[in-house]
Amino acid sequence: MNLSSLLAAPATNPEARVHTVGERYVVIDDLLPAADFEATAEAFAGIRLKPVLSTIDPVYDGFAYRGGEDRQRLTGNADDADADDASAADVNAHDTPRWQRAVKEQITAHLGLLGAPDRADRLSLTLSAWGYPAGSRLSWHNDAGAGRIGAYVYFTHRAWDSDWGGGLAVIDEESRADAADGAALVDSATHPALILPRPNRLVVFRAHTMHAVQRVDATAGDRLRRTWTGFITEDTP
């Protein structure tokens, strides 16, 4: 095997598995091999996170911690704009964190679920590090607007207990004008799916899907619910 084919090998763990598929979301477990996930978790721990208030309900959601935001094309790698030839692109693929390449691979593999089966070359994604401490949550919302076609959440904490809360709740239907908040959702015919924050788990879901982050329980202590999270957007022509 030559260097080029080695660097082009899939970043996704060969033993990754689809845990759940809904009409508008997919859950993928064991996204990275154990050693690569450990490296990802270690790198995340070194990111400087700053407290930010919720943009959904700053009064009752509390604050979370956020590390800056990057934006990349879905096809290719972080530095492809500087790649003059295939050899340079191979080096860029090697330098791009494996979790980023694996997330892009899985988003690309599930573009049909996002309603964009043939538009990979027209899509971008944002990448932000988030940490939710005990007492924080994120209220129901649907990520609509700003050219978004979907979003992803990749859990990077090393351990999590279901008693600590922080689950991702998803209503697996297109959001309706008459069910745009938590109060209206009580009367929804669709029960929410609760996706637990399992380490090394990736969730990809379509925009206009109501979802929320459960409040992180006090029993989590000083542990953060850690994720790489971002939006999948359609580039403006």
Side-chain angles (χ1 to χ4, degrees), residues 15-90:
E15 298 181 4
R17 56 193 174 89
V18 173
H19 178 280
T20 309
V21 179
E23 293 293 324
R24 304 178 67 84
Y25 73 96
V26 60
V27 180
I28 300 154
D29 283 348
D30 303 322
L31 178 70
L32 295 180
D36 292 291
F37 176 69
E38 174 59 28
T40 299
E42 182 67 24
F44 190 104
I47 297 173
R48 184 177 180 182
L49 303 176
K50 298 180 179 180
V52 293
L53 285 173
S54 166
T55 58
I56 308 300
D57 189 338
V59 175
Y60 293 108
D61 285 352
F63 68 90
Y65 295 102
R66 184 185 184 187
E69 181 173 294
D70 188 17
R71 183 184 181 90
Q72 298 180 14
R73 297 293 301 274
L74 177 60
T75 55
N77 300 284
D79 301 318
D80 274 354
D82 300 323
D84 295 327
D85 52 35
S87 177
D90 286 339

